[in-house]
Amino acid sequence: MSSLAKDITPPSSGAPMVKAEGVHKSFGLSHILKGIDLEVLPREVFCLIGPSGSGKSTFLRCINHLEKISAGRLYVDGHLVGYRQHGDKLYELKEKEVAAQRRDIGMVFQRFNLFPHMTALENVMEAPIQVKRESRATARERAQRLLDRVGLGDRAGHYPSQLSGGQQQRVAIARALAMQPKLMLFDEPTSALDPELVGEVLDVMRDLAEDGMTMIVVTHEMGFAREVGDSLVFMDDGVVVESGHPRDVLTNPQHDRTKSFLSKVL
């Protein structure tokens, strides 16, 4: 696989790529996030682990304002996400402004969400044409390069129904990269895959990390977190319980809750 450096947008400042300050999120009476404080540095692979319902995916969705936070501040590349601040007050951005922010943030979900009536190539081309108004020729050239990059150059003309789950997820990664994001969010990208297909997706993610992409990965793949991750956070019940270098947290957890969780998944 060739380098993807030309398709990675560098951060615009020396600030953390992601900074969360006291982030809360509630759905009605359910308090999901209870004051999340963390920083993700540029070029870092930041892994989030924890039991189902701990708030990991909700936090990920808050980063690109798919969910609105209930309190706190959330910044991407030094810019407040979803809001602008005047004095002590926050004012929500218009949807057009939020959409502009999202262009810099790629997201890969558990389910692939590919357009079934479009080929792999067309799926990857679509957003740059529709959102960035790129020419079809420019979008096609980058889409083919990205499909080559994820090992699917020979599947460009295939429809999603003609691809395996692992292949569809690799197309989904190429589609997210087509917008040349500065940050990639992965929400358990291998959880819907058959076990024998997990490795091909993780290999693409490893290559992205080597190329310097800033990544936040919600995952149950502890081997990936240990080998590729720069930082790891264990979340439970909406709070950060423990954080540190993945090898330290996974091999020598300090908190009983972390020890209990890892004893079940390692």
Side-chain angles (χ1 to χ4, degrees):
M1 294 183 181
S2 58
S3 173
L4 199 64
K6 67 173 74 173
D7 294 302
I8 294 176
T9 301
S12 60
S13 69
M17 179 60 77
V18 177
K19 184 174 184 179
E21 298 179 343
V23 170
H24 290 254
K25 174 61 183 178
S26 297
F27 294 101
L29 298 177
S30 298
H31 198 177
I32 306 301
L33 300 178
K34 303 173 182 177
I36 301 295
D37 295 291
L38 57 80
E39 291 187 357
V40 180
L41 299 177
R43 304 176 68 87
E44 186 172 23
V45 179
F46 191 97
C47 296
L48 286 170
I49 66 170
S52 297
S54 59
K56 309 181 303 295
S57 294
T58 297
F59 177 68
L60 210 65
R61 291 171 64 85
C62 288
I63 292 174
N64 63 1
H65 207 58
L66 288 175
E67 299 289 353
K68 302 175 185 178
I69 64 176
S70 304
R73 300 286 191 276
L74 196 49
Y75 300 87
V76 171
D77 201 15
H79 301 287
L80 199 59
V81 173
Y83 298 90
R84 67 165 53 88
Q85 185 165 344
H86 291 292
D88 294 330
K89 291 187 176 181
L90 290 182
Y91 298 88
E92 189 169 6
L93 298 178
K94 296 177 181 178
E95 183 56 37
K96 187 175 181 180
E97 295 171 299
V98 173
Q101 287 188 333
R102 287 194 187 120
R103 293 177 194 174
D104 291 331
I105 305 172
M107 188 159 186
V108 178
F109 299 88
Q110 297 178 35
R111 296 292 174 178
F112 326 121
N113 299 323
L114 299 177
F115 295 115
H117 63 289
M118 293 183 179
T119 65
L121 187 72
E122 290 167 343
N123 265 281
V124 179
M125 290 171 58
E126 182 70 4
I129 291 172
Q130 298 299 329
V131 178
K132 299 179 84 171
R133 303 302 183 198
E134 285 187 359
S135 70
R136 291 189 66 82
T138 298
R140 178 181 292 275
E141 187 275 333
R142 183 184 300 116
Q144 184 62 58
R145 186 170 71 242
L146 288 168
L147 288 175
D148 291 340
R149 178 65 174 80
V150 301
L152 292 173
D154 61 343
R155 299 289 195 275
H158 286 54
Y159 291 90
S161 62
Q162 299 172 306
L163 301 172
S164 70
Q167 290 171 335
Q168 290 185 61
Q169 190 62 294
R170 284 187 278 158
V171 173
I173 292 172
R175 179 179 59 180
L177 292 171
M179 292 293 286
Q180 298 177 286
K182 62 181 69 171
L183 169 67
M184 284 284 284
L185 309 176
F186 292 88
D187 188 7
E188 298 190 28
T190 60
S191 65
L193 300 178
D194 292 333
E196 66 267 22
L197 302 178
V198 169
E200 63 190 54
V201 174
L202 294 181
D203 285 344
V204 171
M205 295 170 65
R206 285 187 182 93
D207 288 339
L208 279 178
E210 290 176 4
D211 281 334
M213 174 62 76
T214 309
M215 301 159 59
I216 303 179
V217 185
V218 173
T219 186
H220 291 297
E221 301 292 339
M222 300 302 160
F224 174 85
R226 183 188 293 109
E227 296 164 25
V228 183
D230 299 299
S231 297
L232 183 142
V233 158
F234 171 65
M235 286 179 63
D236 188 32
D237 195 27
V239 300
V240 172
V241 176
E242 189 164 349
S243 62
H245 190 278
R247 289 196 178 98
D248 295 336
V249 176
L250 294 174
T251 60
N252 189 29
Q254 301 300 303
H255 293 263
D256 289 342
R257 183 66 189 93
T258 317
K259 294 175 184 178
S260 174
F261 173 77
L262 291 176
S263 73
K264 296 178 175 66
V265 300
L266 289 177

